[in-house]
Amino acid sequence: MTSAVQVSDFQLSPELVEFQQKVRAYTQEHLKDAARYDAEARFPREAVAAAAKLGLLCTTVAEEHGGSAMGNLASCVMLEEINSACAATGVTISVHNSLVNSLLGKWCNEEQKKRWFPKMVTGEWLGAYCLSEAFSGSDAAALRCEAKKNGDHYVMNGAKLWITTGSEADLFVIFARTGEDRVNGISAFVVEKTWDGVSVGKKERKLGLRGSPTTEIVCENVKVPADCLIGEEGIGFKIALDTLDGGRLGIASQSLGIARAAIDLMRDHLGKQVDHKGRPNASQPDQWDFADLASDLDAYRFLTWRAAVLRDQGVRCSTEAAMAKSCASRLANRAARRAVSMLGLAGVDGSNPAERLLRDARITEIYEGATDIQRLVIARGLLA
Amino acid sequence: MTSAVQVSDFQLSPELVEFQQKVRAYTQEHLKDAARYDAEARFPREAVAAAAKLGLLCTTVAEEHGGSAMGNLASCVMLEEINSACAATGVTISVHNSLVNSLLGKWCNEEQKKRWFPKMVTGEWLGAYCLSEAFSGSDAAALRCEAKKNGDHYVMNGAKLWITTGSEADLFVIFARTGEDRVNGISAFVVEKTWDGVSVGKKERKLGLRGSPTTEIVCENVKVPADCLIGEEGIGFKIALDTLDGGRLGIASQSLGIARAAIDLMRDHLGKQVDHKGRPNASQPDQWDFADLASDLDAYRFLTWRAAVLRDQGVRCSTEAAMAKSCASRLANRAARRAVSMLGLAGVDGSNPAERLLRDARITEIYEGATDIQRLVIARGLLA
Amino acid sequence: MHNLQLTDDQEMVVDTVKKFVVDSVAPKAQELDEHRTFVRDWCDALAELGVYGLSLAEDKGGAGMGLVPFVAALEAVGEHSGSLARLWIGQMQAVMALESVGGDLLDELAAGSKLAAFIGAEHGFTFADGRLTGSAAFVPAALEADVLIVVAGDAVVQVDASACTRTATTGLGLNSAACGRVECDGVGATELAGADAHKAELVALVGTAAAAVGAGVGSVRVGRNHAAERIAFGKPLLAQQAVQRKLVESTRRVEAARQLTWHAARLADLGGDAADAAAHARITAVDAAVQASDEAIQILGGYGYTVEYHAERHYRDAKTFEVLDGGSNALRDRLAAKAFV
Amino acid sequence: MHNLQLTDDQEMVVDTVKKFVVDSVAPKAQELDEHRTFVRDWCDALAELGVYGLSLAEDKGGAGMGLVPFVAALEAVGEHSGSLARLWIGQMQAVMALESVGGDLLDELAAGSKLAAFIGAEHGFTFADGRLTGSAAFVPAALEADVLIVVAGDAVVQVDASACTRTATTGLGLNSAACGRVECDGVGATELAGADAHKAELVALVGTAAAAVGAGVGSVRVGRNHAAERIAFGKPLLAQQAVQRKLVESTRRVEAARQLTWHAARLADLGGDAADAAAHARITAVDAAVQASDEAIQILGGYGYTVEYHAERHYRDAKTFEVLDGGSNALRDRLAAKAFV
């Protein structure tokens, strides 16, 4: 899955700039209702469908399977754009591409790919990634959901929690225990929504990202055909972690998008304050904070692109992806908080996106590996 | 002065990697006495001479004038290496290359270049950049030093303050007032150390960077030949600001070098703390801080390289250079402070470089444009 | 040893409020906030406890206890409901502004038979010829108040709430405090000659500080309790140094804010100029509350992001406190103007 | 109104110390620091003012005034000389550790006729069979002290300073405090049965907090004075909002640290457990001092980087305070261990 497009001297290639503009046009046309998705906790189905039409749900899929094979860097560029307008749409697309499609492409056999990709690349089906459980979040290997081999199938029992797109997805990648070993007893399966025993459990009511349904996915004696096992038994945790490197790039890009939106709000706010000669005369502390945040936005975008390029080149990028996610997600929160402060009452009264950005940003430090887990990955990587 | 070498996909070109290794070898051989330069406030003359021999004093000079024409990016790579070992040597070389040689190369006529470059590229002469005065620091255009035209020469009177390499330099670029207009009344001149009326004034006693002499340079009725005017009358301030963009890249790189040295100290400290199985078991908060700082080091290095590449391409990079300097210099201070905290008493008792790094780092937020000035430049650039 | 500064009488009042909060407010605060339900019952309960007149001079019918027990009790309220804390602050602003005026309105406000919304000078209302004009975004209690007390230039005026246009806003926080937009286009209003707008402002500063300290305390408690129960990597989350450090630092910041808050209240009660001290307390406490609630969310992870564990509510409320009454940055500017201009 | 908590007697002591500091310490502190000159005269002057026995019980020959006037006076010292503040802290640690022991040594220390260096438990000295073994990097007063008071496990021992190997270190800060490395390889020492190492530690915590508050105050003063005089862009630097904001924020943080410090001292004087409060004060104050001095350097620009304007000295001293006595991060870990383990 090598990207056809590159970063050279910190500039995107012309192909990527063109792609970026295409995505920007999409966001302007289709993501106007972000505030409403949030207020009504309504899944942005039409927006996701429109994205699918434009081929935005298949960026991490090879061309032979119907994908655009644009790769991780292109996905990052795309996700920053989308998330700057609507984080609920952004995470839906990020999970579909970075966690599900890229996993299927990398770890499934040809037959499996042919079975699922036709629906996944078109967005006819949406994907969800089911790793966390009630008692295993950061400590993912503590998962308890089990899949017992029984002839030509497995019997799966367990409940997965915090599943993004849970109630809207058609294809679930579910990590389940096939053996006792904490790490090597975990395997990955594809489970389809329509199968007997698969149900959507509790839907979370959340601080933000309310347009993206986060639900429990419950498996009760689900008969999972053996040919839905991904790769082989026991490599599930390895698959999960490898996939998360890519997922983290998606969340880093989401964070950049949210940060950018917050910084844009500040820019508008500061830009309006001029003296009688039209020169900026906004509060210096406000301007300085804006300058610091805008600098970090550029810096952490480079961190994100660097990791994406490595992943596109097939180089392991756990440390680099963790750096990108950790830095970008903290920036998103800092920027959104600062935007609210700077806008004052207009920052909290819902008359502009500031307060939504603050609520949406908060999840980026939590999901797909909380900040402290990113720091652990980085420290281990650098101290090794 | 287009760089022959590039950054592609966040990796230095093979040429630059080779150059980096050459510089690293130089630092290991010639900069072992950094602590002594500091303790004795002694100019690292031998170290600078050795750098000159390796061609490190002419990276911003065109080949036709005896330079290596490696450009700003290469200079940044070099300066990070040198400063990670000795900031006093680092700033000497940075000023010589980024402020003086690059200015001469860009703004002098051929005759002038032929006059000064032979001594400047070999390091036979060292250069100093004389902009600040007692009453004009951040507000550089308030300078009062004056140069009065008198036939075929100017008569220069005034005192310049905070001049890096002041007592050791042979060639001074001096900004002086040739007219009353605050900005357009400033011109740039080359003044040689040996001329009548040029003297070295007070030498500052400083918190750090003690191996680099910071002095006053006093001009009393100095007869400056008219052919030592750089460019034309009245463009001095424009030259000063343009040059500072490059200088700021040098200080950004110095900051990266100091930050890296501090982070390396932490890495050593944390790496030593292992459990009985050899796994890291250092304090989590220490490890997390280390991870955050190391991530920022990568991020702000990219900011610095990005600006350097732009400058090498002849694109104006004031905003980008200010981002690089502001972010990197704050990081250097944060990292050095954190290293001292982490090392505890060993961080303050002089038994390792931590306390020197803390003292050296502090200047990076002050000279060549204090942090608030960088923020002003960034905010203006982004709000324009 | 905590309440070094409270007399026995004061401590009794504070304990009574605490008991009410723990028994009645704590179990319902999150749910009512989620549904944006105004908490009139709680306002009435505070009235019954007689606390609206807590700091009011005895000769005006109050308890004359000063601000110290006010901040002590308010902290307990803020620990569980920022909305109720803010409603009490608004009522107290009205009461203390009117202390020097007296009269029936003061009696009604102190008794809690009328609910007030207070609109400060930062909204820039104007009053002329008996008419009040101006608008204010996001005024706590606005939608449910009986009377608005408005600072308009040098005047403090009262206006019948129903005479003003009031619009609900779907804001970030304080969802149970009936916050809304208020517009007055030449509405008839009555000047309250001699009313003390500065006193009202001081009440807002120390009150917000105390409420924010409470939010910080509540956040630390939520984070700590979760971390003690949650097992990860084979041991309670609370055994992780990084988690401990978050809680230690949050506690320390909240404690610094509390000491500043008590200092400001004591200073005011002794008749000193407590304006700077109160501003320091307010800025520090709100920042501490934002940080503590942010860290609590982080400790709770996915649970912290849901509306079931209080952390996200404290986070939203703390950020909302930050921008009310002109906001922390305007306070910083004012401290600067006072000291340096 | 500032010293709400001082009695007249206490205030007189504090004022006397302040006068001495302003008259004698302030003019010379920077120069002596630059030359790493030990300030014996100042130590003697403090002795003459009788302040080493300030907090010592009256029946032990002290003034029995508790820790509150100690922190008030120490703040004044710290504002001008971190080195002298640290020397006083060390002496006071020795005095208060020995309060429960009594005897000639206590009298001499309280009178200041002997100078002590105090080596805390964090250095891990061991004492057995009358012999003391261990080493400590960077002990204030080490090079000039007459006697070392050393915590060695459960014991507190005294040892003749001249019997130990003492080496000068060229450290980051506290250059006038004769800091040095101490090594004892089975040196003969005398146990001070009944000595209170915890009391000494509390003195170090609140004392360091107070000294750091002083460093913060001094830094703000230096920055403010420079900004008021310095003209840039046609007006005083102090007219720049960004400069004002730095000073406002430094002041606020220092004020928070001061309130924590006073709270801890009051609590201890009232017989409460002040360990956590003192730790909060110490961590907060040192951080505030580092930030305030860092900002002062920044406001002074090039001048701030020279050794002539005090800002850089406060910065070095504040960072040095941070790592002494085990350091702020170890304190954070201890607070965590106490609360969560």
Side-chain angles (χ1 to χ4, degrees):
Chain A
M1 205 196 311
T2 302
S3 154
V5 283
Q6 283 189 317
V7 170
S8 179
D9 285 352
F10 305 96
Q11 301 282 343
L12 295 175
S13 64
E15 297 94 316
L16 271 183
V17 169
E18 194 188 324
F19 178 60
Q20 186 179 39
Q21 282 162 350
K22 175 174 132 179
V23 177
R24 203 167 288 172
Y26 157 79
T27 64
Q28 283 162 3
E29 188 179 344
H30 296 283
L31 297 179
K32 288 182 215 125
D33 285 337
R36 196 158 59 84
Y37 301 145
D38 172 70
E40 299 170 8
R42 177 159 125 33
F43 183 67
R45 180 156 285 285
E46 315 80 19
V48 173
K53 260 195 196 159
L54 284 169
L56 305 186
L57 296 196
C58 63
T59 52
T60 58
V61 179
E63 291 181 10
E64 57 186 300
H65 296 112
S68 67
M70 294 192 79
N72 288 283
L73 178 59
S75 299
C76 286
V77 169
M78 167 181 83
L79 288 170
E80 179 182 327
E81 295 303 322
I82 293 175
N83 281 287
S84 72
C86 177
T89 304
V91 74
T92 307
I93 295 176
S94 179
V95 165
H96 185 84
N97 282 329
S98 317
L99 292 185
V100 182
N101 274 348
S102 74
L103 182 155
L104 299 180
K106 183 160 178 180
W107 300 97
C108 282
N109 59 38
E110 274 306 300
E111 186 279 319
Q112 291 175 321
K113 289 181 193 178
K114 284 185 179 136
R115 204 178 332 154
W116 295 309
F117 269 143
K119 285 172 174 156
M120 291 297 283
V121 298
T122 57
E124 183 184 338
W125 277 12
L126 290 178
Y129 178 88
C130 307
L131 178 61
S132 294
E133 299 180 3
F135 297 97
S136 64
S138 286
D139 182 12
L143 66 84
R144 296 177 189 176
C145 176
E146 63 169 19
K148 276 209 174 150
K149 187 82 184 263
N150 183 9
D152 64 351
H153 66 273
Y154 293 81
V155 178
M156 191 177 283
N157 276 292
K160 292 291 180 176
L161 212 60
W162 318 121
I163 306 308
T164 300
T165 324
S167 57
E168 300 289 334
D170 308 272
L171 180 150
F172 303 102
V173 172
I174 296 185
F175 296 89
R177 193 157 284 291
T178 51
E180 289 193 3
D181 187 272
R182 184 175 143 83
V183 164
N184 297 313
I186 296 172
S187 303
F189 298 88
V190 166
V191 171
E192 297 179 15
K193 176 192 199 168
T194 53
W195 293 352
D196 281 350
V198 178
S199 64
V200 175
K202 182 187 175 199
K203 182 179 172 188
E204 303 294 342
R205 287 142 28 236
K206 294 172 300 180
L207 170 59
L209 216 74
R210 292 157 49 83
S212 159
T214 304
T215 71
E216 195 179 22
I217 295 296
V218 182
C219 292
E220 281 180 295
N221 292 317
V222 176
K223 217 170 139 180
V224 180
D227 66 2
C228 290
L229 171 69
I230 302 176
E232 55 193 274
E233 274 193 22
I235 65 165
F237 199 65
K238 181 179 159 189
I239 294 176
L241 289 194
D242 173 73
T243 304
L244 278 176
D245 283 347
R248 283 164 188 171
L249 296 178
I251 303 310
S253 304
Q254 172 173 63
S255 304
L256 295 173
I258 294 172
R260 194 176 91 190
I263 290 168
D264 282 347
L265 281 177
M266 291 182 227
R267 187 200 312 257
D268 293 347
H269 175 76
L270 295 171
K272 273 184 225 144
Q273 297 168 58
V274 289
D275 66 12
H276 61 284
K277 289 185 185 169
R279 292 172 306 200
N281 75 343
S283 148
Q284 280 181 347
D286 283 354
Q287 289 192 64
W288 291 188
D289 282 353
F290 164 71
D292 288 353
L293 292 164
S295 303
D296 276 345
L297 176 63
D298 278 11
Y300 299 151
R301 183 184 291 122
F302 291 141
L303 277 191
T304 305
W305 289 0
R306 187 256 306 253
V309 164
L310 287 175
R311 194 161 170 85
D312 281 337
Q313 291 167 346
V315 178
R316 186 159 177 225
C317 67
S318 301
T319 305
E320 291 81 1
M323 283 182 172
K325 179 177 187 280
S326 159
C327 289
S329 62
R330 286 179 291 132
L331 173 65
N333 281 283
R334 212 157 62 230
R337 277 200 296 265
R338 196 65 190 80
V340 166
S341 306
M342 211 177 280
L343 271 57
L345 292 178
V348 302
D349 76 353
S351 60
N352 66 54
E355 64 92 26
R356 175 165 53 86
L357 293 173
L358 179 131
R359 291 184 290 103
D360 286 352
R362 196 61 193 80
I363 191 63
T364 62
E365 275 207 63
I366 298 171
Y367 61 13
E368 302 201 26
T371 295
D372 277 358
I373 297 295
Q374 305 308 305
R375 290 172 168 143
L376 175 73
V377 169
I378 297 164
R380 280 204 187 144
L382 297 180
L383 293 173
Chain B
M1 205 196 309
T2 303
S3 157
V5 283
Q6 285 188 317
V7 171
S8 180
D9 285 352
F10 305 95
Q11 301 282 343
L12 295 174
S13 64
E15 297 94 316
L16 271 185
V17 170
E18 195 187 322
F19 177 61
Q20 185 179 42
Q21 283 163 349
K22 175 174 131 178
V23 178
R24 203 167 288 173
Y26 157 78
T27 65
Q28 283 162 2
E29 188 178 342
H30 296 283
L31 297 179
K32 288 182 214 125
D33 285 337
R36 196 157 59 83
Y37 302 144
D38 173 70
E40 300 171 7
R42 179 159 123 35
F43 183 67
R45 182 155 282 286
E46 316 80 22
V48 173
K53 260 194 195 157
L54 285 168
L56 306 186
L57 296 198
C58 63
T59 51
T60 59
V61 179
E63 290 181 12
E64 55 186 304
H65 296 112
S68 66
M70 295 192 78
N72 289 283
L73 177 60
S75 299
C76 287
V77 169
M78 168 180 83
L79 288 170
E80 179 181 327
E81 294 304 321
I82 294 176
N83 281 287
S84 72
C86 176
T89 304
V91 74
T92 307
I93 296 176
S94 178
V95 166
H96 185 84
N97 283 331
S98 318
L99 292 186
V100 182
N101 273 347
S102 74
L103 181 155
L104 299 180
K106 184 159 179 182
W107 300 95
C108 282
N109 58 39
E110 274 307 299
E111 187 279 319
Q112 291 175 322
K113 290 181 192 176
K114 284 187 178 137
R115 206 181 328 158
W116 294 309
F117 271 144
K119 285 170 175 158
M120 292 295 285
V121 297
T122 57
E124 183 184 338
W125 278 11
L126 291 178
Y129 178 89
C130 307
L131 177 62
S132 295
E133 299 179 4
F135 297 97
S136 63
S138 287
D139 182 12
L143 65 84
R144 296 176 190 178
C145 177
E146 64 169 17
K148 275 204 173 150
K149 188 79 181 268
N150 183 8
D152 65 350
H153 66 274
Y154 292 81
V155 178
M156 190 177 282
N157 276 290
K160 292 291 180 176
L161 213 60
W162 317 121
I163 306 307
T164 300
T165 324
S167 58
E168 302 288 334
D170 307 274
L171 181 150
F172 303 103
V173 173
I174 297 185
F175 296 88
R177 193 157 285 290
T178 51
E180 289 191 2
D181 188 89
R182 186 177 141 85
V183 164
N184 298 314
I186 297 172
S187 304
F189 299 89
V190 166
V191 171
E192 298 180 15
K193 177 193 198 168
T194 54
W195 294 350
D196 281 351
V198 178
S199 64
V200 175
K202 183 188 175 197
K203 183 180 173 187
E204 303 293 344
R205 287 138 34 232
K206 294 172 301 181
L207 170 59
L209 216 73
R210 291 158 48 84
S212 159
T214 305
T215 72
E216 195 179 20
I217 295 296
V218 183
C219 292
E220 280 178 295
N221 292 317
V222 177
K223 219 169 135 179
V224 181
D227 66 1
C228 290
L229 172 70
I230 302 176
E232 54 192 274
E233 277 193 20
I235 65 165
F237 198 66
K238 181 178 158 192
I239 294 176
L241 289 194
D242 173 72
T243 305
L244 278 175
D245 284 347
R248 283 164 188 170
L249 296 178
I251 305 310
S253 304
Q254 172 174 63
S255 305
L256 295 174
I258 294 172
R260 195 176 90 189
I263 290 167
D264 282 347
L265 280 177
M266 292 182 226
R267 186 201 314 256
D268 293 347
H269 174 77
L270 295 171
K272 272 184 225 145
Q273 297 168 57
V274 289
D275 67 11
H276 61 285
K277 288 186 186 168
R279 292 173 305 200
N281 75 343
S283 146
Q284 280 181 346
D286 283 354
Q287 289 192 65
W288 291 188
D289 282 354
F290 164 72
D292 288 353
L293 292 164
S295 303
D296 276 345
L297 177 64
D298 278 11
Y300 299 150
R301 184 183 289 121
F302 291 141
L303 277 190
T304 306
W305 287 1
R306 187 255 308 249
V309 164
L310 287 175
R311 193 161 170 84
D312 281 337
Q313 291 169 345
V315 178
R316 187 158 176 227
C317 66
S318 301
T319 304
E320 291 81 359
M323 282 181 172
K325 180 179 185 280
S326 160
C327 288
S329 62
R330 286 179 290 132
L331 172 65
N333 281 283
R334 212 158 62 230
R337 277 201 296 265
R338 195 66 190 81
V340 167
S341 306
M342 211 178 279
L343 271 57
L345 292 178
V348 302
D349 76 353
S351 61
N352 66 55
E355 64 93 24
R356 175 165 53 86
L357 294 172
L358 179 131
R359 290 184 292 103
D360 286 352
R362 195 61 192 78
I363 191 63
T364 62
E365 275 208 63
I366 298 172
Y367 62 13
E368 303 201 22
T371 296
D372 278 359
I373 297 295
Q374 306 308 305
R375 290 172 169 143
L376 175 72
V377 170
I378 297 164
R380 280 205 187 144
L382 298 179
L383 293 173
Chain C
M1 292 302 300
H2 224 190
N3 293 335
L4 293 180
Q5 310 295 328
L6 291 182
T7 64
D8 288 350
D9 280 359
Q10 292 175 335
E11 192 143 5
M12 204 159 66
V13 174
V14 174
D15 286 345
T16 310
V17 173
K18 274 186 188 164
K19 187 173 176 348
F20 158 66
V21 170
V22 170
D23 291 349
S24 306
V25 175
K28 302 276 285 179
Q30 188 76 19
E31 184 191 337
L32 296 177
D33 184 271
E34 189 186 351
H35 296 106
R36 298 183 179 271
T37 309
F38 175 61
V39 288
R40 181 172 298 278
D41 291 353
W42 293 349
C43 293
D44 293 346
L46 284 182
E48 265 174 50
L49 295 178
V51 298
Y52 296 142
L54 189 61
S55 312
L56 184 65
E58 289 185 76
D59 62 357
K60 302 289 180 180
M65 286 188 179
L67 292 176
V68 167
F70 171 60
V71 299
L74 200 52
E75 179 186 319
V77 177
E79 186 179 339
H80 293 284
S81 171
S83 288
L84 182 60
R86 194 56 182 77
L87 290 165
W88 186 2
I89 291 169
Q91 187 80 355
M92 197 67 149
Q93 284 186 279
V95 167
M96 296 311 288
L98 268 61
E99 185 178 44
S100 45
V101 180
D104 289 351
L105 179 57
L106 175 61
D107 293 344
E108 289 167 327
L109 292 171
S113 57
K114 274 195 177 167
L115 182 70
F118 194 92
I119 297 181
E122 73 276 8
H123 295 288
F125 277 66
T126 56
F127 178 69
D129 304 327
R131 302 270 152 199
L132 182 70
T133 300
S135 70
F138 211 78
V139 176
L143 304 177
E144 298 281 348
D146 301 297
V147 59
L148 309 184
I149 309 295
V150 184
V151 182
D154 292 334
V156 177
V157 306
Q158 72 171 95
V159 58
D160 200 28
S162 59
C164 309
T165 308
R166 295 174 293 168
T167 327
T169 42
T170 311
L172 178 63
L174 302 180
N175 289 350
S176 292
C179 301
R181 182 174 178 80
V182 172
E183 278 166 291
C184 296
D185 187 8
V187 174
T190 312
E191 181 164 1
L192 298 160
D196 188 346
H198 292 294
K199 188 81 194 210
E201 191 177 54
L202 188 73
V203 166
L205 292 176
V206 297
T208 302
V213 167
V217 170
S219 298
V220 169
R221 185 175 32 72
V222 166
R224 192 210 150 110
N225 289 349
H226 178 84
E229 284 168 19
R230 176 85 177 169
I231 305 293
F233 302 102
K235 53 187 176 183
L237 210 49
L238 195 54
Q240 299 286 346
Q241 272 182 307
V243 172
Q244 295 177 2
R245 182 63 67 89
K246 286 186 213 297
L247 292 169
V248 163
E249 290 293 270
S250 291
T251 300
R252 180 176 64 80
R253 290 193 204 100
V254 169
E255 186 60 28
R258 177 187 280 137
Q259 292 307 324
L260 284 171
T261 305
W262 281 67
H263 173 64
R266 271 195 309 262
L267 200 53
D269 287 349
L270 289 169
D273 177 358
D276 286 5
H280 288 154
R282 198 262 199 209
I283 297 168
T284 307
V286 169
D287 279 0
V290 171
Q291 285 182 309
S293 54
D294 182 54
E295 294 287 27
I297 291 174
Q298 196 63 25
I299 290 170
L300 270 73
Y303 295 99
Y305 201 64
T306 71
V307 300
E308 291 178 65
Y309 290 82
H310 304 265
E312 64 87 33
R313 181 167 53 93
H314 287 309
Y315 186 58
R316 288 186 288 104
D317 286 354
K319 280 300 290 184
T320 305
F321 273 125
E322 185 191 327
V323 300
L324 287 178
D325 308 311
S328 289
N329 281 333
L331 264 188
R332 291 178 169 105
D333 289 343
R334 197 204 300 175
L335 284 166
K338 201 167 147 190
F340 307 128
V341 178
Chain D
M1 290 305 299
H2 222 189
N3 293 334
L4 293 179
Q5 311 294 329
L6 292 182
T7 65
D8 289 349
D9 281 358
Q10 292 176 334
E11 192 143 6
M12 203 159 65
V13 174
V14 174
D15 286 345
T16 310
V17 172
K18 274 187 188 163
K19 185 170 174 356
F20 158 67
V21 170
V22 170
D23 292 349
S24 306
V25 175
K28 303 276 285 177
Q30 187 76 17
E31 185 192 337
L32 296 177
D33 184 271
E34 188 184 352
H35 297 104
R36 298 185 179 270
T37 309
F38 175 61
V39 290
R40 181 171 297 277
D41 290 354
W42 294 349
C43 293
D44 293 346
L46 284 181
E48 265 175 51
L49 295 178
V51 298
Y52 295 143
L54 189 62
S55 312
L56 184 65
E58 289 186 76
D59 62 356
K60 302 291 180 179
M65 286 188 178
L67 292 175
V68 167
F70 172 60
V71 300
L74 201 52
E75 179 186 320
V77 177
E79 186 179 338
H80 293 284
S81 172
S83 288
L84 182 60
R86 195 55 182 78
L87 289 165
W88 186 0
I89 291 168
Q91 188 79 355
M92 198 69 150
Q93 284 186 277
V95 167
M96 297 311 289
L98 268 62
E99 185 178 44
S100 45
V101 179
D104 289 348
L105 179 57
L106 176 59
D107 294 344
E108 290 166 324
L109 292 171
S113 58
K114 272 196 179 169
L115 183 70
F118 194 92
I119 297 181
E122 73 275 10
H123 295 288
F125 277 65
T126 56
F127 178 69
D129 304 328
R131 302 269 152 200
L132 182 69
T133 300
S135 70
F138 211 79
V139 176
L143 303 178
E144 298 281 348
D146 302 298
V147 61
L148 309 183
I149 308 295
V150 183
V151 182
D154 291 334
V156 177
V157 305
Q158 72 172 97
V159 58
D160 200 27
S162 60
C164 309
T165 308
R166 295 173 292 168
T167 325
T169 41
T170 311
L172 178 64
L174 302 180
N175 290 349
S176 292
C179 301
R181 181 173 179 81
V182 173
E183 279 166 291
C184 297
D185 186 9
V187 175
T190 312
E191 180 163 4
L192 297 160
D196 188 346
H198 291 294
K199 188 83 195 209
E201 191 176 55
L202 188 71
V203 166
L205 293 176
V206 296
T208 302
V213 168
V217 170
S219 299
V220 169
R221 186 175 32 73
V222 167
R224 193 211 149 110
N225 289 348
H226 178 83
E229 284 167 21
R230 177 85 176 168
I231 305 293
F233 302 101
K235 53 188 176 183
L237 211 50
L238 195 55
Q240 299 287 345
Q241 272 183 308
V243 172
Q244 296 176 359
R245 182 63 66 88
K246 286 186 211 301
L247 292 169
V248 163
E249 289 294 88
S250 291
T251 301
R252 180 177 62 81
R253 290 193 203 99
V254 169
E255 187 60 30
R258 177 187 280 135
Q259 293 307 326
L260 284 172
T261 306
W262 281 66
H263 173 64
R266 272 195 309 261
L267 200 54
D269 287 349
L270 289 169
D273 178 358
D276 286 6
H280 287 153
R282 200 263 199 209
I283 296 168
T284 307
V286 168
D287 279 0
V290 170
Q291 285 182 308
S293 54
D294 182 53
E295 294 286 27
I297 291 174
Q298 196 64 24
I299 290 169
L300 269 74
Y303 295 98
Y305 200 64
T306 73
V307 300
E308 292 177 63
Y309 290 81
H310 305 265
E312 63 88 33
R313 180 167 54 92
H314 286 310
Y315 186 58
R316 288 186 288 105
D317 286 353
K319 280 301 291 184
T320 306
F321 273 124
E322 185 192 326
V323 301
L324 287 177
D325 308 311
S328 289
N329 280 333
L331 264 188
R332 291 178 168 103
D333 288 343
R334 197 202 302 173
L335 284 166
K338 200 168 147 189
F340 307 128
V341 178

